[in-house]
Amino acid sequence: MKWGLFGGTFDPIHMGHLRCAEEVRELFHLDRVVFIPTARQPLKTDQDIAPYDHRARMVQLAIDDNPEFALSDIEQQRGGTSYSIDTVTFFLNDVPKTRELYFIVGQDAFHRIQEWKDWEELLQRCHFIVMTRPGYETVDLPSILPERTAAGYVYDDRSDEFTGPSGTSIYFRRLTFLEISSTEIRARLMKEQSIRYLVPEAVHRYIVMNGLYKTP
Ligand code: ATP
């Protein structure tokens, strides 16, 4: 069983997230992609974030019709600040059946990996799939990771992957990166502009029905 873990604030989830998750699933033959909304995001503390329940419900509505996509509320259940290292450890230790885990991140997020708790340990515990975007394709590990860490990775040009000392790999993959961000969606809603086709219709309806993102 190969599972992708896709963490995010998802405030709200949008077509950019969904399209990339679908392409990653297909490309890596993943059995499942698990969307994991962050309960308390350590790197976005100064931002006003919608309540967890709204964000999780929107993820569920967005993925409802895809049997290979699932939602996990582990970060809400665990409480406290949401750290990826704890989430990955949970999936490795506490979810029955040993499985290969692929942590899915956008390149912007991966460039800040050194700010993540126990990031070196995290890279050793699961594979990383870094979704690159046009014009922002740094696939040169030493420019992202400290030299001593990058030196532990070996690049295989046949499989286009960097394999680290524990056998886990980092993959940079160019996907159909839709230039959509949750920030832009929230800004549009505040200005009472349309967000149709930027999010799934069910998410659009949920936002309107619950009056989300109306005030700054
Ligand atoms: P915000 O604008 O509020 O910062 P966001 O749109 O970047 O939000 P997040 O929930 O913070 O969304 O992102 C979750 C993950 O999805 C991160 O790894 C991020 O890099 C990635 N991501 C963000 N936007 C896109 C996109 N358009 N396509 C693919 N992945 C994306």
Side-chain angles (χ1 to χ4, degrees):
M1 288 286 270
K2 290 165 73 173
W3 281 23
L5 301 183
F6 191 17
T9 316
F10 301 127
D11 190 23
I13 188 164
H14 53 68
M15 292 301 198
H17 298 130
L18 292 161
R19 180 63 210 167
C20 278
E22 176 67 357
E23 289 189 20
V24 164
R25 183 196 62 72
E26 196 172 40
L27 199 60
F28 286 84
H29 308 286
L30 301 179
D31 297 291
R32 184 169 295 185
V33 175
V34 185
F35 289 72
I36 310 168
T38 323
R40 213 170 303 157
Q41 159 65 276
L43 301 178
K44 285 189 182 175
T45 45
D46 54 349
Q47 190 179 308
D48 205 9
I49 296 173
Y52 178 87
D53 286 347
H54 281 315
R55 291 182 290 114
R57 263 184 235 137
M58 288 188 282
V59 170
Q60 188 59 63
L61 287 170
I63 65 174
D64 248 355
D65 60 353
N66 188 334
E68 277 132 352
F69 284 179
L71 166 75
S72 165
D73 66 353
I74 178 61
E75 299 200 344
Q76 170 77 339
Q77 274 184 46
R78 197 169 57 231
T81 306
S82 310
Y83 293 113
S84 301
I85 185 77
D86 299 331
T87 299
V88 165
T89 305
F90 166 79
F91 277 92
L92 287 174
N93 294 348
D94 297 334
V95 179
K97 288 194 203 157
T98 324
R99 55 180 55 94
E100 234 179 307
L101 293 183
Y102 292 75
F103 202 89
I104 305 167
V105 281
Q107 191 160 7
D108 54 336
F110 190 70
H111 275 255
R112 295 182 69 185
I113 188 128
Q114 290 178 60
E115 296 171 41
W116 298 19
K117 185 182 168 213
D118 299 337
W119 65 273
E120 286 178 287
E121 179 60 32
L122 180 63
L123 287 175
Q124 302 302 318
R125 291 207 184 164
C126 62
H127 305 290
F128 262 72
I129 301 171
V130 184
M131 307 179 290
T132 66
R133 62 172 86 187
Y136 193 11
E137 288 154 315
T138 314
V139 292
D140 176 24
L141 269 196
S143 70
I144 304 173
L145 303 179
E147 220 177 303
R148 66 183 156 77
T149 313
Y153 282 81
V154 177
Y155 179 66
D156 181 336
D157 59 358
R158 276 168 311 151
S159 52
D160 189 16
E161 70 188 282
F162 294 89
T163 305
S166 73
T168 56
S169 294
I170 302 172
Y171 304 84
F172 291 87
R173 290 295 181 269
R174 166 98 178 256
L175 308 165
T176 309
F177 197 97
L178 303 173
E179 277 297 337
I180 303 173
S181 71
S182 303
T183 304
E184 179 204 339
I185 290 170
R186 295 192 302 271
R188 293 188 74 86
L189 285 161
M190 274 175 223
K191 290 186 271 179
E192 297 188 5
Q193 291 174 338
S194 165
I195 59 154
R196 281 188 86 181
Y197 314 119
L198 294 175
V199 298
E201 188 49 31
V203 172
H204 179 217
R205 274 201 301 272
Y206 185 92
I207 290 173
V208 172
M209 261 169 45
N210 290 279
L212 301 184
Y213 310 116
K214 274 192 169 161
T215 47

